[in-house]
Amino acid sequence: MSTESKTDSRSPARPFWLRGDFAPVADEVTAHELPVEGELPRELAGTYMRNGPNPKDGFSPHWWFGDGMVHGIHLAGGKARWYRNRYVRTARFTGAEAGSERERRLRGGGTSNTHVIEHAGRILSMVEASLPMQLDRELSTVGAFDFGGAVDTPMTAHPKRCPLTGELHFFGYQVVRPYLTYYIADARGRVISKREIEVDGASYLHDFAITERYAVFFDSPARMIRDWGAGIPFEWNDSHQTRIGVVPRAGGKVRWFDVESGQLCHTANAFERAGTIVLEAVRSARFEAAPPYLHRWEVDLESGRTRERQLDDRLVEFPRIDDRRVGRPHRYTYVLEMLDFVDGAPTKSLLRRYEAETGTSLAQELGPGQIPGECVFVPKSAQSPEDSGWLLSFVRDRERDISELVVLDAGHFGAAPVARVRLPQRVPFGIHGSWVPAVDEAHRSWAAR
């Protein structure tokens, strides 16, 4: 179990990312046959994985810079078979740093702490400053992964898988040319397209979106002025016009559309509708200096006109949808609503669902002292409707000082959880995660498409 000092981790003198719900845990733990309250759906066969910063020495100068730790819980046959948490063993973590500064950083020399996905049978831990780190299915680190040498820039932590083709779309941005590179890997993990997108310099580009025919980028005034390594490498430039870039997936001219000054945080989705690209994402007025709100942009490809509006006045982040709707119109968006900020961090959070057709939203209350993180949607089958599935989230119970995996029925959002899995240690508030189906189930799901 963790040997963290509760006194130190809760001290108000420490920054928010080192105390309270964010405080790192010290130990890597393995536990089997976890206790379950309620009934786990037998259809849930796979592993929920979630990445996040967890500095091994208990300190980092910024939340973004802590060592990556992936937490995983494997479900099968209506049981929680195991829990593991493992550090992502980058060169910095192991002390094996070597080579030039850029080569060292690119090949996993720093941290890998933002997201974790599966593609073409590989588990990839990601951070936007370098290449992914490959993990095995028990979360042990294999090493840096460069798609057989085809990727020679950093890779975003937010790739998008096209549900129609199985392709993985991703990009890399950096302070030197090429400033922005757009990649496509096929369903077997081979890079089939690599394209430089001409921009006059790199901006903070944490996320992007795809539609059935386009990739959608956001060029903001948060300009990259130096490489990663010595603090946050971005500086806000009010004179730089905020733009949305529309890039044909099959090749062709890139078009840029001016929009109101602001910063894109995380995208929910984008899709095409009657000659217009609709982008739904979380936006703030400035980089790291303004609250985030759910926002929608509409880009008329024929007239060039853009329309923008804030969808709600609640502070939200980490939007997720049913991934089978990526690039196509979606009905539901699930977000983390953040409340009662103190010293830069929320003291309360809850899950909220927005419905696109009605413009309404619904809160998921989990009870006093219950602090959920980002949720992930898992469909009941490849053919099931958009609300037929489950939502998974790591939740901290402050009153009992424990963490649980909470399973919600997406078709009855707002109702009590169908199951809670007690975890053997606290899981710090982290960033992004994925559901990785069991190998045989993943094969059947793809073959059914």
Side-chain angles (χ1 to χ4, degrees), residues 25 64 69 110 121 132 139 148 218 232-233 281 303 305 323 326 328 410 442:
V25 294
W64 292 2
M69 177 179 278
L139 310 186
F218 200 92
I232 300 297
S303 69
R305 290 193 296 268
D323 287 339
V326 167
R328 297 183 287 174

Side-chain angles (χ1 to χ4, degrees), residues 170-181:
F170 56 96
F171 66 92
Y173 73 93
Q174 56 190 9
V175 73
V176 298
R177 286 190 177 274
Y179 299 123
L180 178 58
T181 306

